């Protein structure tokens, strides 16, 4: 296995990433790709991948936007990064590849597993969504008339928002709910998503684990997760799948505490439950890595 190269860039490698390997890992032929949410914070992805590595899971932190030579917003983000990274990981000896993504990253992970079923063997979607969203710059509160994702230069069909995003609305909603709240963007779309814009999860050849919190107010992740599960059932999906629903969980359903936890009401109101969910999430990850 190539131990020299641990940092990757788009110009040279076709993807932006950092590799974290543990010599004591029990699963030397397995690895997990990690993807951040709408903050696009690659440093957070690296912290998470490093944490997983220390717990025996070899990991690749993948930056998919807000990175050098890549998109600076969630706008036509190439799935090609996952394809290129996966092919490289196969090249250096990994036989089984999983992908973990949270929030917008869950869409990226589920789409990638659907587009590259022969490369991805495990998908973990934290606070998931079941369709392809419209492009946005979440930091500047801007929507673009394009898809959030692309492949080989072509936009992937997306569902446009029916309500405009604005700085005023976001601040107003945050003040009312005492945490970031974007439900006004997503609730009007429930039950109205066009088939062509739904992630074709039935094309995957991977074990699927979804984790959501009932108190998620960024978007209705539990409802979205159930729609994914129902689609897998309806399509007679032959691989193992499950949806872990956390009664007192919010949007940040991760195995580690993050700097954003303090902004989420569920994490502030139910700190013990949040810590238990983190432990359960890590336990599930370890079990999935051992079995997939």
């Amino acid at each position: 296995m190539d131990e020299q190269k641990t940092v990757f860039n788009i110009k040279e490698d076709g993807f932006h990433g950092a590799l974290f390997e543990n010599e004591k890992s029990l699963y030397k032929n397995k690895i997990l790709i990690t993807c951040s949410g709408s903050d696009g914070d690659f440093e957070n992805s690296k912290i998470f991948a490093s944490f997983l590595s220390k717990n025996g899971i070899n990991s690749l932190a993948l930056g998919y936007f807000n990175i050098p030579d890549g998109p600076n917003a969630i706008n036509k983000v190439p799935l090609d990064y996952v394809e290129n990274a996966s092919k490289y990981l196969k090249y250096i000896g990994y036989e089984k590849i999983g992908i973990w993504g949270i929030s917008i990253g869950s869409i990226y992970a589920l789409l990638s597993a659907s587009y590259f079923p022969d490369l991805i063997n495990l998908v973990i979607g934290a606070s998931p969504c079941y369709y392809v969203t419209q492009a946005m710059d979440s930091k500047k509160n801007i929507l673009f008339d394009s898809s959030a994702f692309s492949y080989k230069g072509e936009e992937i069909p997306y569902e446009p928002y029916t309500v405009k995003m604005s700085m005023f609305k976001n601040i107003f909603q945050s003040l009312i709910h005492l945490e970031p709240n974007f439900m006004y963007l997503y609730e009007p779309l429930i039950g109205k998503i066009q088939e062509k814009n739904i992630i074709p999860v039935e094309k995957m050849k991977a074990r699927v684990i979804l984790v959501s919190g009932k108190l998620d107010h960024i978007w209705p992740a539990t409802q979205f997760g159930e729609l994914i599960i129902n689609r897998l059932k309806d399509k007679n999906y032959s691989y193992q799948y499950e949806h872990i629903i956390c009664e007192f969980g919010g949007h940040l359903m991760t195995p580690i505490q993050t700097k954003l936890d303090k902004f989420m009401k569920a994490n502030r109101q139910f700190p013990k439950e949040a810590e238990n969910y983190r432990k359960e999430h890590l336990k599930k990850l370890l079990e999935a890595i051992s079995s997939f």
Side-chain angles (χ1 to χ4, degrees):
M1 201 174 282
D2 184 355
E3 296 180 352
Q4 299 303 310
K5 188 150 194 170
T6 58
V7 178
F8 308 88
N9 64 75
I10 291 173
K11 282 187 176 179
E12 294 179 5
D13 308 294
F15 66 97
H16 186 92
L19 181 63
F20 295 85
E21 295 177 307
N22 185 339
E23 292 182 358
K24 297 181 181 180
S25 172
L26 297 175
Y27 317 110
K28 297 188 181 300
N29 67 330
K30 300 177 181 181
I31 191 164
L32 189 68
I33 297 171
T34 64
C35 304
S36 69
S38 61
D39 59 347
D41 192 333
F42 182 60
E43 290 304 311
N44 273 349
S45 294
K46 286 167 63 178
I47 291 170
F48 181 40
S50 176
F51 167 82
L52 292 176
S53 175
K54 290 172 183 175
N55 281 273
I57 302 175
N58 294 325
S59 303
L60 175 77
L62 185 72
Y64 60 106
F65 75 99
N66 197 22
I67 49 174
D69 302 310
N72 57 13
I74 310 162
N75 187 10
K76 293 178 279 191
V77 176
L79 298 186
D80 311 58
Y81 300 155
V82 174
E83 183 179 36
N84 294 337
S86 299
K87 286 181 177 178
Y88 175 80
L89 293 172
K90 291 279 189 180
Y91 172 74
I92 62 172
Y94 285 103
E95 297 171 9
K96 297 288 186 71
I97 300 172
I99 186 167
W100 181 99
I102 185 167
S103 191
I104 287 290
S106 76
I107 301 176
Y108 194 56
L110 289 162
L111 266 178
S112 295
S114 301
Y115 271 67
F116 318 122
D118 295 324
L119 292 175
I120 305 298
N121 311 103
L122 169 69
V123 183
I124 300 101
S127 306
C129 179
Y130 73 106
Y131 63 92
V132 181
T133 54
Q134 184 175 346
M136 71 163 62
D137 185 327
S138 58
K139 292 181 179 178
K140 296 181 179 179
N141 300 286
I142 297 171
L143 296 177
F144 303 98
D145 293 327
S146 54
S147 175
F149 302 103
S150 67
Y151 180 56
K152 294 191 180 299
E154 297 291 328
E155 289 186 45
I156 295 172
Y158 69 97
E159 190 70 28
Y161 295 108
T162 57
V163 180
K164 289 185 178 180
M165 174 188 278
S166 73
M167 178 74 76
F168 173 78
K169 279 184 182 177
N170 292 344
I171 293 174
F172 182 69
Q173 291 295 324
S174 296
L175 289 173
I176 289 176
H177 299 284
L178 301 178
E179 67 173 344
N181 188 307
F182 294 92
M183 296 292 274
Y184 74 91
L185 284 173
Y186 299 98
E187 286 184 327
L189 296 175
I190 294 174
K192 299 176 182 178
I193 305 300
Q194 298 178 73
E195 172 64 25
K196 66 183 180 66
N197 302 329
I198 295 174
I199 302 170
V201 289
E202 66 277 5
K203 294 183 178 180
M204 299 188 296
K205 297 178 183 177
R207 179 178 176 181
V208 181
I209 300 170
L210 306 177
V211 184
S212 71
K214 282 190 175 182
L215 302 181
D216 186 342
H217 295 127
I218 298 295
W219 62 26
T222 295
Q223 199 167 351
F224 287 169
E226 285 301 278
L227 287 166
I228 293 170
I229 294 297
N230 290 338
R231 185 178 181 92
L232 293 174
K233 288 178 181 177
D234 291 343
K235 300 291 184 179
N236 296 314
Y237 190 69
S238 59
Y239 295 81
Q240 186 177 352
Y241 57 90
E242 61 186 303
H243 183 192
I244 301 169
I245 300 173
C246 302
E247 189 74 24
F248 302 103
H251 192 67
L252 293 176
M253 302 307 298
T254 67
I256 61 171
Q257 191 166 7
T258 77
K259 61 186 180 182
L260 298 176
D261 280 49
K262 61 186 177 183
F263 296 106
M264 300 298 165
K265 190 189 295 185
N267 295 69
R268 297 194 304 269
Q269 289 186 331
F270 304 102
K272 291 183 179 179
E273 287 82 357
E275 181 59 27
N276 288 336
Y277 295 148
R278 285 191 280 269
K279 291 177 181 178
E280 182 182 356
H281 198 138
L282 178 60
K283 183 179 178 181
K284 178 59 68 171
L285 273 179
L286 291 167
E287 181 272 321
I289 291 293
S290 70
S291 61
F292 89 106

